[in-house]
């Protein structure tokens, strides 16, 4: 039997995680749906919000990456490069970006017998990490006249992290996170007996 690649193992793990989350929500429906029987509108609103908040900050998409970062610099004088002052390095590193929806900020606008309208925050980046422990220096060139220092690494990595977040957004990470959160949230609300559900992402 062929061994699974790291990407295939990670994909299988996320699928299992989503299935487990759906299963937990189903169990939650079974045991807690009775909270909505024979209570006032105000109590229903409080119970709905509590049920949603139980999901917490719902992280629905995680984007993992491995890349190689190249940095090169030299001293300049009047915008002219000074010879023999080059410094550079090449680093390989891993990182990840997570996106999701903060359900703790959801607001119940209208609630009927089987209808419900919610205001929910739009999906956002919840975590963005460049794993410094994974870094491997593939090449490095120091210069006595223009030595490498910690600030060079920190500034370059900060720019790289920002660029990665912009790329993830461009590739649709927020849209995917919101779509996934919407499906799970509707599943929760349907399990509580609501059929006409309107969710406004703001």
């Amino acid at each position: 039997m062929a061994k699974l690649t790291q990407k295939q193992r990670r994909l299988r793990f996320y699928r299992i995680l989503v299935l487990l989350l759906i299963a937990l929500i189903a169990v939650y429906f079974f045991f807690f749906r009775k909270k909505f029987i024979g209570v006032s509108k105000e109590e229903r609103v409080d119970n709905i919000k509590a049920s949603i908040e139980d999901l917490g900050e719902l992280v629905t998409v995680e984007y993992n990456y491995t890349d190689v970062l190249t940095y090169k610099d030299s001293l300049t004088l009047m915008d002219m490069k000074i010879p023999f002052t080059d410094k550079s390095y090449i680093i390989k590193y891993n990182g990840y970006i997570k996106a999701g929806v903060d359900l703790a900020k959801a607001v119940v606008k209208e609630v009927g017998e089987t209808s419900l309208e919610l205001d929910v925050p739009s999906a956002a980046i919840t975590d963005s990490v460049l794993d410094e422990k994974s870094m491997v220096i593939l090449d490095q060139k120091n210069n006595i006249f223009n030595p490498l220092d910690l600030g060079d690494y920190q500034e370059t990595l900060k720019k790289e992290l920002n660029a990665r977040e912009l790329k993830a957004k461009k590739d649709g990470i927020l849209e995917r996170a919101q779509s996934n959160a919407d499906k799970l949230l509707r599943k929760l609300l349907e399990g509580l007996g609501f059929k006409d559900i309107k969710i406004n992402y703001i």
Side-chain angles (χ1 to χ4, degrees):
M1 183 176 179
K3 291 184 177 179
L4 296 176
T5 64
Q6 183 178 3
K7 183 177 181 181
Q8 289 173 324
R9 288 197 299 271
R10 187 182 296 121
L11 182 60
R12 186 172 67 175
F13 171 76
Y14 290 141
R15 285 175 177 170
I16 293 172
L17 190 62
V18 170
L19 289 173
L20 286 174
L21 182 57
I22 292 174
L24 286 173
I25 290 174
V27 171
Y28 185 90
F29 298 158
F30 182 79
F31 287 104
F32 293 94
R33 184 172 174 175
K34 62 182 181 181
K35 292 192 301 182
F36 295 89
I37 300 174
V39 297
S40 68
K41 181 177 179 179
E42 290 75 16
E43 289 175 314
R44 290 189 78 201
V45 169
D46 290 341
N47 288 336
I48 291 167
K49 187 167 177 58
S51 298
I52 293 173
E53 288 179 348
D54 282 345
L55 293 178
E57 187 180 84
L58 189 61
V59 177
T60 59
V61 174
E62 181 172 343
Y63 168 60
N64 295 273
Y65 58 87
T66 299
D67 207 346
V68 174
L69 174 63
T70 301
Y71 170 83
K72 188 174 183 179
D73 191 27
S74 61
L75 296 178
T76 60
L77 180 63
M78 299 179 65
D79 295 328
M80 295 182 63
K81 179 180 175 181
I82 300 176
F84 310 113
T85 62
D86 292 340
K87 62 179 178 180
S88 63
Y89 59 78
I90 300 175
I91 296 176
K92 182 180 178 182
Y93 64 94
N94 301 324
Y96 65 84
I97 298 173
K98 295 181 180 180
V101 174
D102 187 359
L103 297 178
K105 296 180 180 178
V107 176
V108 179
K109 292 191 67 178
E110 296 290 340
V111 59
E113 190 63 32
T114 59
S115 62
L116 178 68
E117 182 177 357
L118 294 174
D119 282 349
V120 177
S122 297
I125 300 293
T126 59
D127 203 7
S128 183
V129 173
L130 198 156
D131 184 7
E132 296 185 9
K133 293 182 179 179
S134 71
M135 291 182 186
V136 177
I137 298 177
L138 303 178
D139 186 46
Q140 179 173 285
K141 180 182 178 182
N142 210 343
N143 192 295
I144 190 172
F145 301 111
N146 185 24
L148 287 166
D149 57 41
L150 183 60
D152 292 327
Y153 292 99
Q154 291 176 334
E155 184 63 25
T156 306
L157 294 177
K158 181 180 178 181
K159 290 180 180 178
E160 182 66 12
L161 200 58
N162 290 336
R164 273 291 175 178
E165 290 181 14
L166 289 174
K167 185 179 185 304
K169 290 179 180 179
K170 186 177 179 181
D171 290 343
I173 190 174
L174 297 182
E175 289 79 6
R176 295 197 303 276
Q178 190 158 300
S179 175
N180 291 345
D182 188 88
K183 292 175 184 176
L184 291 171
L185 186 54
R186 287 182 185 277
K187 193 78 173 176
L188 168 67
L189 298 173
E190 287 169 0
L192 296 175
F194 295 102
K195 298 178 180 178
D196 183 12
I197 301 167
K198 183 179 180 181
I199 302 175
N200 307 310
Y201 290 96
I202 56 176

